Amino acid sequence: MEMIQESITSLGTYAPYACLALFLLASLLVVWRLEVLSGAGVEGTVLGTIFMPYCSGMGNIVFAVVLARKGGDGSDVLVNCLFNNVTNLTLLIGLPVLIWSMASIPRKKNKAVIVEHKMGRLSLALNLVAALFFSLIVWLLAADGTLARFDGFVLLALFVFWQCFHVYDVKKTNLLKKKSFPATLPLEVALLLVGAFGVFVSTDWLVQWFLSLDSALVPARVLGWASGVLMVLPNALLAFYYGAKDRMDVVYTSQSGDAHICIPLCIGIFAAFREIPTSAFLQQALLILMGLCAAHLLFVVMLGRLPRIFAAAFLAAFGYFLWAGLA
Protein backbone atom coordinates (compact mmCIF):
# COMPACT_ATOMS: atom_id res chain seq x y z
CA MET A 1 0.00 0.00 0.00
CA GLU A 2 2.80 2.42 0.89
CA MET A 3 4.56 1.59 -2.38
CA ILE A 4 1.40 2.51 -4.32
CA GLN A 5 1.07 5.78 -2.40
CA GLU A 6 4.72 6.63 -3.08
CA SER A 7 4.28 5.84 -6.78
CA ILE A 8 1.34 8.24 -6.98
CA THR A 9 3.23 10.95 -5.10
CA SER A 10 6.17 10.60 -7.51
CA LEU A 11 3.90 11.92 -10.27
CA GLY A 12 4.25 15.39 -8.72
CA THR A 13 1.67 17.95 -9.83
CA TYR A 14 -0.11 15.31 -11.90
CA ALA A 15 -0.76 13.08 -8.88
CA PRO A 16 -4.21 14.56 -7.94
CA TYR A 17 -5.39 14.20 -11.56
CA ALA A 18 -4.09 10.62 -11.67
CA CYS A 19 -6.00 9.82 -8.46
CA LEU A 20 -9.20 11.35 -9.83
CA ALA A 21 -8.77 9.29 -13.01
CA LEU A 22 -8.18 6.13 -10.94
CA PHE A 23 -11.27 6.88 -8.86
CA LEU A 24 -13.47 7.31 -11.96
CA LEU A 25 -12.03 4.25 -13.75
CA ALA A 26 -12.60 2.10 -10.66
CA SER A 27 -16.18 3.41 -10.47
CA LEU A 28 -16.74 2.61 -14.16
CA LEU A 29 -15.45 -0.92 -13.56
CA VAL A 30 -18.05 -1.30 -10.82
CA VAL A 31 -20.88 -0.07 -13.10
CA TRP A 32 -19.74 -2.41 -15.88
CA ARG A 33 -19.71 -5.51 -13.69
CA LEU A 34 -23.05 -4.59 -12.11
CA GLU A 35 -24.54 -4.47 -15.60
CA VAL A 36 -23.09 -7.92 -16.28
CA LEU A 37 -24.74 -9.20 -13.10
CA SER A 38 -28.04 -7.67 -14.22
CA GLY A 39 -27.74 -9.42 -17.59
CA ALA A 40 -27.03 -12.71 -15.79
CA GLY A 41 -30.45 -12.56 -14.15
CA VAL A 42 -29.81 -10.74 -10.87
CA GLU A 43 -32.97 -8.71 -10.23
CA GLY A 44 -32.97 -4.91 -10.13
CA THR A 45 -34.08 -4.75 -6.50
CA VAL A 46 -31.30 -7.14 -5.49
CA LEU A 47 -28.75 -5.04 -7.37
CA GLY A 48 -30.12 -1.85 -5.85
CA THR A 49 -30.36 -3.04 -2.24
CA ILE A 50 -27.28 -5.25 -1.83
CA PHE A 51 -24.60 -4.82 -4.50
CA MET A 52 -24.91 -1.18 -5.58
CA PRO A 53 -24.98 0.54 -2.17
CA TYR A 54 -21.69 -1.12 -1.20
CA CYS A 55 -20.09 -0.33 -4.54
CA SER A 56 -21.27 3.27 -4.84
CA GLY A 57 -20.78 3.88 -1.11
CA MET A 58 -17.27 2.43 -0.99
CA GLY A 59 -15.74 5.91 -1.20
CA ASN A 60 -17.76 7.08 1.80
CA ILE A 61 -16.69 4.04 3.82
CA VAL A 62 -13.03 4.59 2.92
CA PHE A 63 -13.31 8.31 3.72
CA ALA A 64 -14.66 7.52 7.21
CA VAL A 65 -11.95 4.91 7.85
CA VAL A 66 -9.12 7.16 6.59
CA LEU A 67 -10.24 10.15 8.69
CA ALA A 68 -10.68 7.96 11.79
CA ARG A 69 -7.22 6.49 11.27
CA LYS A 70 -5.59 9.88 10.77
CA GLY A 71 -7.42 11.68 13.58
CA GLY A 72 -9.56 13.81 11.26
CA ASP A 73 -12.63 15.88 12.10
CA GLY A 74 -15.84 13.89 12.54
CA SER A 75 -17.88 16.83 11.24
CA ASP A 76 -16.34 16.19 7.81
CA VAL A 77 -17.69 12.63 7.89
CA LEU A 78 -21.17 13.91 8.78
CA VAL A 79 -21.11 16.52 6.00
CA ASN A 80 -19.76 13.94 3.53
CA CYS A 81 -22.53 11.43 4.32
CA LEU A 82 -25.37 13.96 4.50
CA PHE A 83 -24.30 15.71 1.29
CA ASN A 84 -24.11 12.32 -0.43
CA ASN A 85 -27.57 11.21 0.74
CA VAL A 86 -29.36 14.51 0.10
CA THR A 87 -27.80 14.64 -3.39
CA ASN A 88 -28.94 11.07 -4.08
CA LEU A 89 -32.55 11.72 -3.06
CA THR A 90 -32.85 15.07 -4.86
CA LEU A 91 -30.49 15.60 -7.79
CA LEU A 92 -29.71 11.99 -8.76
CA ILE A 93 -33.33 10.84 -8.67
CA GLY A 94 -34.98 14.09 -9.73
CA LEU A 95 -32.81 14.77 -12.80
CA PRO A 96 -33.19 11.29 -14.40
CA VAL A 97 -36.95 11.51 -13.80
CA LEU A 98 -37.05 14.92 -15.54
CA ILE A 99 -35.07 13.56 -18.49
CA TRP A 100 -36.56 10.09 -18.96
CA SER A 101 -39.71 10.14 -16.79
CA MET A 102 -40.69 7.19 -14.62
CA ALA A 103 -43.44 4.80 -15.66
CA SER A 104 -45.96 3.90 -12.96
CA ILE A 105 -46.72 0.47 -14.49
CA PRO A 106 -44.50 -1.90 -16.48
CA ARG A 107 -44.83 -1.81 -20.24
CA LYS A 108 -45.22 -5.59 -20.39
CA LYS A 109 -48.52 -6.16 -18.64
CA ASN A 110 -48.52 -9.92 -18.14
CA LYS A 111 -49.32 -11.13 -14.65
CA ALA A 112 -45.80 -12.20 -13.67
CA VAL A 113 -44.28 -8.84 -14.66
CA ILE A 114 -46.95 -6.88 -12.79
CA VAL A 115 -46.45 -8.96 -9.63
CA GLU A 116 -42.68 -8.45 -9.85
CA HIS A 117 -43.25 -4.71 -10.30
CA LYS A 118 -45.43 -4.57 -7.18
CA MET A 119 -42.83 -6.52 -5.20
CA GLY A 120 -40.21 -4.02 -6.34
CA ARG A 121 -42.39 -1.15 -5.09
CA LEU A 122 -42.73 -2.83 -1.70
CA SER A 123 -38.96 -3.35 -1.51
CA LEU A 124 -38.34 0.29 -2.41
CA ALA A 125 -40.87 1.47 0.19
CA LEU A 126 -39.09 -0.63 2.83
CA ASN A 127 -35.74 0.88 1.83
CA LEU A 128 -37.14 4.39 2.24
CA VAL A 129 -38.63 3.52 5.63
CA ALA A 130 -35.22 2.19 6.72
CA ALA A 131 -33.45 5.36 5.50
CA LEU A 132 -35.99 7.47 7.39
CA PHE A 133 -35.54 5.35 10.52
CA PHE A 134 -31.74 5.45 10.43
CA SER A 135 -31.75 9.24 9.94
CA LEU A 136 -34.13 9.60 12.89
CA ILE A 137 -31.88 7.48 15.12
CA VAL A 138 -28.82 9.60 14.26
CA TRP A 139 -30.84 12.78 14.88
CA LEU A 140 -31.90 11.51 18.32
CA LEU A 141 -28.41 10.29 19.26
CA ALA A 142 -26.93 13.65 18.22
CA ALA A 143 -29.48 15.70 20.20
CA ASP A 144 -27.01 16.11 23.10
CA GLY A 145 -24.45 17.74 20.80
CA THR A 146 -22.16 14.76 20.20
CA LEU A 147 -22.08 11.27 18.75
CA ALA A 148 -20.06 9.29 21.29
CA ARG A 149 -18.37 5.90 20.96
CA PHE A 150 -21.40 4.05 22.34
CA ASP A 151 -23.59 5.81 19.76
CA GLY A 152 -21.25 4.55 17.03
CA PHE A 153 -21.63 0.95 18.18
CA VAL A 154 -25.43 1.36 18.21
CA LEU A 155 -25.35 2.52 14.58
CA LEU A 156 -23.05 -0.34 13.57
CA ALA A 157 -25.37 -2.86 15.25
CA LEU A 158 -28.36 -1.41 13.38
CA PHE A 159 -26.46 -1.72 10.10
CA VAL A 160 -25.52 -5.37 10.71
CA PHE A 161 -29.13 -6.23 11.58
CA TRP A 162 -30.40 -4.53 8.41
CA GLN A 163 -27.89 -6.39 6.21
CA CYS A 164 -28.87 -9.72 7.80
CA PHE A 165 -32.49 -8.94 6.92
CA HIS A 166 -31.50 -8.20 3.30
CA VAL A 167 -29.60 -11.48 2.96
CA TYR A 168 -32.59 -13.38 4.38
CA ASP A 169 -35.00 -11.60 2.04
CA VAL A 170 -32.91 -12.30 -1.07
CA LYS A 171 -32.41 -15.97 -0.18
CA LYS A 172 -36.14 -16.35 0.51
CA THR A 173 -37.02 -14.78 -2.85
CA ASN A 174 -34.56 -17.01 -4.70
CA LEU A 175 -35.95 -20.07 -2.93
CA LEU A 176 -39.57 -19.24 -3.76
CA LYS A 177 -38.75 -18.47 -7.39
CA LYS A 178 -36.35 -21.43 -7.63
CA LYS A 179 -33.58 -19.09 -8.72
CA SER A 180 -29.94 -18.85 -7.73
CA PHE A 181 -27.09 -16.44 -8.22
CA PRO A 182 -25.05 -16.98 -11.41
CA ALA A 183 -22.10 -19.35 -11.23
CA THR A 184 -19.78 -16.47 -12.13
CA LEU A 185 -20.77 -14.51 -8.99
CA PRO A 186 -17.40 -15.14 -7.20
CA LEU A 187 -15.54 -13.75 -10.23
CA GLU A 188 -17.84 -10.73 -10.41
CA VAL A 189 -17.37 -10.06 -6.69
CA ALA A 190 -13.60 -10.31 -7.15
CA LEU A 191 -13.73 -7.72 -9.95
CA LEU A 192 -15.93 -5.49 -7.81
CA LEU A 193 -13.32 -5.77 -5.06
CA VAL A 194 -10.64 -4.68 -7.54
CA GLY A 195 -12.74 -1.61 -8.26
CA ALA A 196 -13.24 -1.07 -4.53
CA PHE A 197 -9.46 -1.24 -3.99
CA GLY A 198 -8.96 1.40 -6.67
CA VAL A 199 -11.47 3.61 -4.87
CA PHE A 200 -9.67 3.01 -1.57
CA VAL A 201 -6.21 3.88 -2.90
CA SER A 202 -7.37 7.02 -4.71
CA THR A 203 -9.52 8.26 -1.83
CA ASP A 204 -6.80 7.66 0.75
CA TRP A 205 -4.25 9.63 -1.27
CA LEU A 206 -6.66 12.48 -2.09
CA VAL A 207 -7.62 12.93 1.58
CA GLN A 208 -3.97 13.11 2.62
CA TRP A 209 -3.24 15.53 -0.22
CA PHE A 210 -6.17 17.78 0.70
CA LEU A 211 -5.13 17.90 4.36
CA SER A 212 -1.60 18.91 3.32
CA LEU A 213 -2.81 21.99 1.39
CA ASP A 214 -2.32 25.50 2.76
CA SER A 215 -5.28 26.14 5.08
CA ALA A 216 -5.22 29.82 4.15
CA LEU A 217 -6.03 28.97 0.55
CA VAL A 218 -8.26 25.92 1.13
CA PRO A 219 -10.02 25.91 4.54
CA ALA A 220 -10.12 22.53 6.24
CA ARG A 221 -13.89 22.83 6.70
CA VAL A 222 -14.32 22.46 2.92
CA LEU A 223 -13.06 18.85 3.08
CA GLY A 224 -16.49 17.38 3.89
CA TRP A 225 -18.15 19.18 0.97
CA ALA A 226 -15.31 18.50 -1.50
CA SER A 227 -15.22 14.81 -0.58
CA GLY A 228 -19.02 14.66 -0.85
CA VAL A 229 -18.83 15.91 -4.44
CA LEU A 230 -16.20 13.28 -5.23
CA MET A 231 -18.03 10.40 -3.53
CA VAL A 232 -21.30 11.20 -5.30
CA LEU A 233 -19.76 10.64 -8.76
CA PRO A 234 -20.22 6.81 -8.69
CA ASN A 235 -23.86 7.34 -7.71
CA ALA A 236 -24.26 9.77 -10.62
CA LEU A 237 -22.79 7.20 -13.02
CA LEU A 238 -25.28 4.59 -11.80
CA ALA A 239 -28.24 6.98 -11.89
CA PHE A 240 -27.71 8.26 -15.44
CA TYR A 241 -26.59 4.92 -16.85
CA TYR A 242 -29.64 3.01 -15.61
CA GLY A 243 -31.93 5.97 -16.25
CA ALA A 244 -30.89 5.94 -19.92
CA LYS A 245 -31.58 2.19 -20.01
CA ASP A 246 -35.12 2.78 -18.69
CA ARG A 247 -34.32 1.00 -15.41
CA MET A 248 -35.68 3.59 -13.00
CA ASP A 249 -36.31 0.80 -10.47
CA VAL A 250 -32.55 0.33 -10.21
CA VAL A 251 -31.98 4.10 -10.07
CA TYR A 252 -34.45 4.52 -7.22
CA THR A 253 -33.31 1.55 -5.13
CA SER A 254 -29.59 2.26 -5.58
CA GLN A 255 -29.89 5.92 -4.56
CA SER A 256 -32.16 5.24 -1.57
CA GLY A 257 -30.15 2.15 -0.58
CA ASP A 258 -26.95 4.19 -0.43
CA ALA A 259 -28.37 5.95 2.65
CA HIS A 260 -28.10 2.65 4.52
CA ILE A 261 -24.35 2.69 3.95
CA CYS A 262 -23.66 6.35 4.76
CA ILE A 263 -25.92 6.91 7.76
CA PRO A 264 -25.48 3.83 9.96
CA LEU A 265 -22.16 2.43 8.71
CA CYS A 266 -19.88 5.38 7.84
CA ILE A 267 -20.96 7.56 10.76
CA GLY A 268 -20.90 4.54 13.07
CA ILE A 269 -17.35 3.60 12.01
CA PHE A 270 -15.94 7.03 12.82
CA ALA A 271 -17.94 7.49 16.04
CA ALA A 272 -16.75 4.09 17.30
CA PHE A 273 -13.17 5.44 17.21
CA ARG A 274 -13.60 9.07 18.19
CA GLU A 275 -16.36 11.42 19.27
CA ILE A 276 -18.17 13.47 16.61
CA PRO A 277 -19.38 16.99 17.54
CA THR A 278 -22.66 18.01 15.93
CA SER A 279 -24.13 21.39 15.03
CA ALA A 280 -27.47 23.04 14.33
CA PHE A 281 -26.90 22.78 10.56
CA LEU A 282 -26.19 19.05 10.75
CA GLN A 283 -29.38 18.54 12.77
CA GLN A 284 -31.25 20.58 10.17
CA ALA A 285 -29.70 18.52 7.36
CA LEU A 286 -30.92 15.32 9.04
CA LEU A 287 -34.42 16.79 9.19
CA ILE A 288 -34.19 17.62 5.47
CA LEU A 289 -33.08 14.06 4.77
CA MET A 290 -35.98 12.63 6.77
CA GLY A 291 -38.40 14.91 4.93
CA LEU A 292 -37.05 13.71 1.58
CA CYS A 293 -37.40 10.05 2.61
CA ALA A 294 -40.99 10.66 3.74
CA ALA A 295 -41.87 12.48 0.50
CA HIS A 296 -40.40 9.71 -1.68
CA LEU A 297 -42.19 7.10 0.42
CA LEU A 298 -45.51 8.90 -0.12
CA PHE A 299 -45.05 8.98 -3.91
CA VAL A 300 -43.96 5.33 -4.07
CA VAL A 301 -46.90 4.10 -1.99
CA MET A 302 -49.60 6.37 -3.46
CA LEU A 303 -48.53 6.72 -7.11
CA GLY A 304 -45.80 4.14 -7.67
CA ARG A 305 -43.63 6.81 -9.30
CA LEU A 306 -42.19 10.30 -8.88
CA PRO A 307 -44.08 12.92 -10.97
CA ARG A 308 -41.89 15.30 -12.94
CA ILE A 309 -43.20 18.40 -11.18
CA PHE A 310 -42.05 17.03 -7.83
CA ALA A 311 -38.73 15.94 -9.36
CA ALA A 312 -38.20 19.61 -10.19
CA ALA A 313 -39.13 20.50 -6.59
CA PHE A 314 -36.46 18.08 -5.34
CA LEU A 315 -33.87 19.84 -7.49
CA ALA A 316 -34.88 23.13 -5.86
CA ALA A 317 -34.52 21.47 -2.44
CA PHE A 318 -30.99 20.41 -3.42
CA GLY A 319 -30.17 24.03 -4.26
CA TYR A 320 -31.50 25.17 -0.88
CA PHE A 321 -29.39 22.54 0.91
CA LEU A 322 -26.24 23.76 -0.84
CA TRP A 323 -27.06 27.39 -0.07
CA ALA A 324 -27.77 26.65 3.63
CA GLY A 325 -24.62 24.57 4.06
CA LEU A 326 -22.13 26.77 2.25
CA ALA A 327 -23.58 29.99 3.62
Side-chain angles (χ1 to χ4, degrees):
M1 182 65 182
E2 291 182 1
M3 292 179 61
I4 297 176
Q5 298 282 6
E6 291 175 359
S7 299
I8 295 174
T9 305
S10 66
L11 297 175
T13 56
Y14 296 101
Y17 304 105
C19 274
L20 285 173
L22 175 60
F23 184 89
L24 292 175
L25 286 174
S27 300
L28 286 172
L29 172 62
V30 168
V31 173
W32 173 39
R33 300 323 298 175
L34 287 174
E35 177 62 11
V36 171
L37 282 173
S38 178
V42 180
E43 296 178 0
T45 51
V46 175
L47 283 175
T49 56
I50 292 184
F51 292 103
M52 286 184 181
Y54 280 104
C55 296
S56 62
M58 181 56 63
N60 304 92
I61 297 172
V62 171
F63 182 74
V65 171
V66 169
L67 277 194
R69 184 163 56 95
K70 299 183 181 302
D73 188 351
S75 297
D76 290 328
V77 176
L78 285 176
V79 170
N80 173 276
C81 292
L82 291 171
F83 175 85
N84 193 283
N85 285 190
V86 171
T87 304
N88 291 346
L89 295 178
T90 54
L91 182 66
L92 298 186
I93 290 179
L95 200 52
V97 169
L98 281 177
I99 297 172
W100 295 288
S101 187
M102 183 176 182
S104 58
I105 58 174
R107 294 176 180 176
K108 298 179 181 179
K109 296 184 180 180
N110 63 68
K111 185 177 180 181
V113 172
I114 291 176
V115 169
E116 183 176 342
H117 176 74
K118 290 181 177 179
M119 291 297 294
R121 282 176 59 181
L122 287 174
S123 177
L124 175 56
L126 180 60
N127 273 332
L128 290 168
V129 169
L132 176 59
F133 175 77
F134 291 144
S135 302
L136 176 62
I137 292 298
V138 174
W139 184 77
L140 292 173
L141 291 175
D144 60 354
T146 59
L147 286 170
R149 189 177 188 186
F150 177 79
D151 299 330
F153 285 121
V154 169
L155 294 175
L156 291 176
L158 285 173
F159 174 79
V160 171
F161 172 78
W162 178 242
Q163 295 308 300
C164 289
F165 172 79
H166 268 318
V167 172
Y168 159 77
D169 186 56
V170 170
K171 292 184 73 67
K172 181 188 71 175
T173 301
N174 287 344
L175 182 63
L176 291 175
K177 294 185 177 182
K178 297 181 180 180
K179 295 177 64 176
S180 60
F181 289 124
T184 58
L185 182 62
L187 175 62
E188 302 300 341
V189 171
L191 290 172
L192 289 174
L193 289 175
V194 171
F197 181 73
V199 171
F200 174 79
V201 170
S202 56
T203 303
D204 186 46
W205 192 93
L206 285 169
V207 170
Q208 294 186 60
W209 170 76
F210 193 95
L211 293 175
S212 68
L213 296 177
D214 186 356
S215 59
L217 298 175
V218 184
R221 65 182 179 85
V222 179
L223 176 60
W225 293 94
S227 63
V229 172
L230 178 65
M231 305 313 168
V232 86
L233 290 179
N235 303 76
L237 289 172
L238 291 172
F240 288 99
Y241 178 80
Y242 283 101
K245 291 179 69 67
D246 197 24
R247 293 296 306 277
M248 286 302 297
D249 58 327
V250 179
V251 174
Y252 229 128
T253 52
S254 63
Q255 302 307 319
S256 61
D258 191 58
H260 309 153
I261 299 295
C262 288
I263 297 299
L265 181 59
C266 297
I267 296 176
I269 287 174
F270 192 95
F273 286 96
R274 59 184 69 249
E275 191 175 87
I276 303 178
T278 59
S279 64
F281 166 72
L282 295 174
Q283 290 290 82
Q284 183 184 18
L286 284 167
L287 290 175
I288 292 173
L289 184 58
M290 285 186 275
L292 290 171
C293 292
H296 280 295
L297 180 61
L298 180 64
F299 291 125
V300 168
V301 172
M302 299 297 293
L303 302 177
R305 65 188 181 92
L306 177 64
R308 278 180 164 171
I309 186 172
F310 290 102
F314 283 142
L315 294 183
F318 175 71
Y320 170 76
F321 174 74
L322 285 182
W323 173 81
L326 295 177

